[in-house]
């Protein structure tokens, strides 16, 4: 049996978790299964080869097993709740490691070419080459963040409060499910949803308390 | 009002909610009555309160009160200087077996270290989908309940804050409590 990533991250069912709550905006016109299957489509986890980015892998994985992109049915949709995880593989080269490798590479080039110093274009090119070599030799850190999308109630939970992760989830969700988008349920947005018109006007006019005494 | 405007112009709403929650909890011995046909919520402010200022032009001064040094008067002193509660670790329950704990971040309404009452642990390395699904649904129901509790407390705050009762009833009660505490 192939190794799986089960049990490595507990996410949503863990004893203690970070949580951001979103409102899902937009209407779902397709049948839920079709929508989710199509949405995952090209957006399932895959490796990324972009020299300008520290991200070397990105996309949806099955919740509870970050190595799985086959998405077993029962795990993906449970009682109109969509369960996915966003996996982000990151390779960060520590600056001093890069500096050291660059110094060694520079000496090698100078010895081979007989030059006394590198031009700025050569330095730039060498830096990129060294960075790419180190990226390939460094093991990525793997982050997995669960999302739990309560479809009937138009609420989505994310097990992270990091602004960076939120940006990733918001943009991948929008890309995966065209016509739908996420708004963090900050207090004002939550209040707007629950108040009657007259109270809503008061909310809009409300000024902060400056002093309690 | 779009999201960014709401965040910038009305970010104080969450901080005032958390500050009110603290006042109310302290004033009423840790109990919040909001729905009189149900038992009150018991709220405890635990080991961490972070206070900050609404005023963007003033550099943010964060007062962190933790562990043994925590005393209500320290938080109160910061509030009287014009700060409001930005983050607090709280526990909430209505009965003995339904304790929820969380670090509530007021401006974004986010939760850190959200703990629900325990669920039955899934069987170790179980491949049984039914077990897994049951565990998930139980946890989902508990997380939804935690959100409902926070929402209902926030709704209670809003109803007061946006009504005449804020100035005529709630604020005088808060002020009376502050006077007693600072005597």
């Amino acid at each position: 049996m192939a190794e799986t990533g089960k049990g490595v991250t507990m996410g949503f069912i863990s004893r203690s978790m970070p949580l951001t709550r979103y409102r899902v905006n937009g209407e779902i016109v397709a049948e839920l299964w079709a929508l989710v299957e199509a949405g995952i489509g090209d957006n399932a986890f895959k490796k990324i080869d972009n020299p300008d980015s520290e991200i070397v892998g990105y996309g949806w994985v099955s919740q509870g097993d970050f190595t799985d992109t086959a998405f077993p049915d029962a795990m993906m949709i449970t009682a109109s709740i969509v369960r996915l995880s966003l996996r982000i593989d990151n390779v960060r080269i520590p600056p001093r490691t890069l500096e050291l490798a660059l110094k060694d590479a520079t000496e090698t080039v100078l010895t081979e070419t007989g030059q006394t110093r590198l031009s700025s274009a050569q330095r730039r090119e060498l830096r990129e080459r060294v960075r790419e070599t180190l990226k390939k030799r460094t093991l990525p850190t793997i982050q997995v963040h669960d999302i739990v999308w309560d479809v009937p109630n138009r609420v989505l939970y994310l097990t992270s409060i990091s602004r960076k992760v939120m940006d990733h989830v918001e943009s991948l969700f929008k890309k995966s499910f065209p016509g739908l988008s996420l708004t963090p349920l900050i207090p004002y947005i939550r209040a707007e949803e629950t108040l009657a018109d007259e109270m809503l006007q008061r909310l809009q006019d409300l000024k902060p308390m400056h002093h309690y005494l | 009002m779009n999201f960014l405007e709401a965040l910038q112009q009305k970010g104080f709403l969450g901080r005032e909610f958390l500050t009110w929650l603290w006042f109310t909890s302290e004033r009423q011995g840790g109990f919040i009555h909001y729905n009189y046909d149900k038992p009150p919520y018991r709220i405890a402010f635990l080991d961490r309160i972070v206070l900050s200022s609404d005023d963007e032009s003033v550099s943010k001064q964060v007062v962190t009160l933790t562990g043994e040094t925590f005393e209500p008067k320290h938080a109160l002193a910061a509030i009287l200087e014009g700060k409001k509660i930005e983050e607090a670790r709280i526990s909430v329950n209505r009965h003995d077996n339904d304790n929820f704990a969380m670090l509530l971040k007021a401006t974004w309404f986010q939760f850190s270290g959200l703990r629900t009452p325990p669920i039955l642990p899934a069987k170790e390395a179980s491949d049984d989908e039914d077990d897994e699904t049951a565990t998930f649904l139980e946890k989902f129901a508990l997380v939804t309940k935690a959100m409902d509790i926070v929402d209902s407390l926030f709704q209670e705050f809003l109803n007061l804050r946006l009504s005449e009762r804020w100035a005529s009833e709630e604020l005088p009660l808060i002020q009376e409590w502050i006077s007693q505490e600072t005597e």
Side-chain angles (χ1 to χ4, degrees):
Chain A
M1 197 174 117
E3 283 291 312
T4 72
K6 275 186 183 179
V8 176
T9 173
M10 295 285 283
F12 191 78
I13 58 160
S14 63
R15 181 88 178 88
S16 168
M17 66 172 136
L19 200 74
T20 299
R21 190 167 48 149
Y22 284 101
R23 175 63 66 224
V24 180
N25 309 300
E27 292 303 318
I28 296 176
V29 284
E31 199 265 328
L32 189 58
W33 278 101
L35 175 87
V36 174
E37 273 181 345
I40 291 171
D42 287 346
N43 299 301
F45 177 83
K46 56 179 164 290
K47 289 192 163 41
I48 293 172
D49 190 15
N50 177 0
D52 297 330
S53 173
E54 290 179 347
I55 293 175
V56 294
Y58 186 81
W60 301 122
V61 290
S62 182
Q63 200 164 100
D65 184 352
F66 70 90
T67 62
D68 176 57
T69 51
F71 303 97
D73 294 351
M75 280 297 297
M76 196 168 71
I77 302 181
T78 308
S80 299
I81 302 163
V82 179
R83 303 161 64 188
L84 294 169
S85 296
L86 171 62
R87 174 175 160 185
I88 305 171
D89 289 10
N90 229 298
V91 169
R92 189 176 172 276
I93 312 293
R96 288 201 176 100
T97 306
L98 178 63
E99 197 182 321
L100 186 65
L102 189 60
K103 196 175 166 199
D104 290 347
T106 305
E107 277 168 17
T108 307
V109 172
L110 291 179
T111 311
E112 282 172 358
T113 59
Q115 289 175 261
T116 51
R117 57 189 295 274
L118 298 181
S119 69
S120 58
Q122 279 177 310
R123 269 206 306 274
R124 242 191 336 265
E125 192 204 328
L126 192 61
R127 193 182 186 81
E128 282 317 306
R129 217 168 64 213
V130 169
R131 191 197 294 275
E132 275 308 292
T133 309
L134 287 175
K135 253 173 92 171
K136 288 192 175 73
R137 280 166 44 191
T138 307
L139 290 174
T141 55
I142 299 171
Q143 290 180 28
V144 180
H145 308 283
D146 287 356
I147 70 155
V148 172
W149 176 12
D150 177 356
V151 177
N153 290 306
R154 296 168 46 234
V155 172
L156 184 142
Y157 299 105
L158 163 67
T159 59
S160 173
I161 55 170
S162 143
R163 212 60 24 93
K164 218 178 203 177
V165 174
M166 287 168 69
D167 285 346
H168 281 305
V169 167
E170 288 164 27
S171 80
L172 189 62
F173 185 86
K174 207 171 172 176
K175 184 168 169 241
S176 303
F177 308 107
L180 301 181
S181 64
L182 299 174
T183 307
L185 268 180
I186 58 172
Y188 184 84
I189 304 277
R190 183 76 195 122
E192 262 189 337
E193 294 182 348
T194 56
L195 294 174
D197 285 352
E198 182 206 350
M199 296 285 260
L200 199 56
Q201 189 55 51
R202 290 189 192 177
L203 176 72
Q204 283 162 4
D205 298 339
L206 191 69
K207 298 277 180 288
M209 292 272 303
H210 290 301
H211 297 286
Y212 285 88
L213 271 185
Chain B
M1 188 176 285
N2 68 30
F3 175 76
L4 277 181
E5 285 168 344
L7 191 64
Q8 284 162 1
Q9 294 170 26
K10 302 290 184 183
F12 66 88
L13 204 59
R15 295 190 286 275
E16 288 196 6
F17 162 58
L18 209 44
T19 308
W20 167 82
L21 196 65
W22 184 71
F23 276 142
T24 311
S25 158
E26 289 287 325
R27 197 162 53 79
Q28 299 179 166
F31 290 94
I32 305 262
H33 303 261
Y34 90 97
N35 187 345
Y36 288 96
D37 55 358
K38 286 183 178 173
Y41 285 121
R42 279 179 293 203
I43 303 211
F45 277 70
L46 305 174
D47 56 348
R48 182 182 159 87
I49 292 183
V50 176
L51 297 113
S52 67
S53 169
D54 283 335
D55 192 344
E56 296 281 330
S57 64
V58 177
S59 62
K60 238 184 191 178
Q61 188 190 348
V62 176
V63 181
T64 306
L65 306 161
T66 55
E68 290 173 6
T69 59
F70 175 71
E71 280 186 45
K73 65 179 182 193
H74 292 144
L76 191 51
I79 291 169
L80 293 178
E81 282 172 19
K83 299 188 184 73
K84 291 170 187 166
I85 300 179
E86 171 75 40
E87 290 180 24
R89 196 185 302 281
I90 59 173
S91 76
V92 189
N93 66 20
R94 192 168 242 161
H95 307 285
D96 288 337
N97 58 353
D98 66 348
N99 195 59
F100 293 86
M102 63 198 79
L103 179 73
L104 178 54
K105 293 170 174 275
T107 306
W108 281 79
F109 242 11
Q110 288 176 313
F111 307 86
S112 173
L114 174 65
R115 283 170 174 264
T116 62
I119 49 172
L120 292 174
K123 285 177 193 161
E124 194 73 19
S126 169
D127 279 333
D128 187 335
E129 277 181 2
D130 289 345
D131 276 356
E132 202 284 331
T133 302
T135 303
F136 166 75
L137 287 175
E138 194 182 346
K139 184 69 178 184
F140 177 78
L142 288 168
V143 169
T144 306
K145 191 172 175 194
M147 298 301 115
D148 287 347
I149 293 172
V150 174
D151 280 346
S152 62
L153 292 168
F154 181 58
Q155 191 64 45
E156 175 69 3
F157 162 74
L158 276 181
N159 291 343
L160 280 169
R161 184 71 175 86
L162 298 174
S163 72
E164 306 301 330
R165 284 163 53 213
W166 179 257
S168 66
E169 294 174 26
E170 192 69 8
L171 204 51
L173 285 171
I174 290 172
Q175 288 167 340
E176 191 188 324
W177 179 80
I178 293 175
S179 302
Q180 285 169 7
E181 291 295 310
T182 49
E183 262 175 12

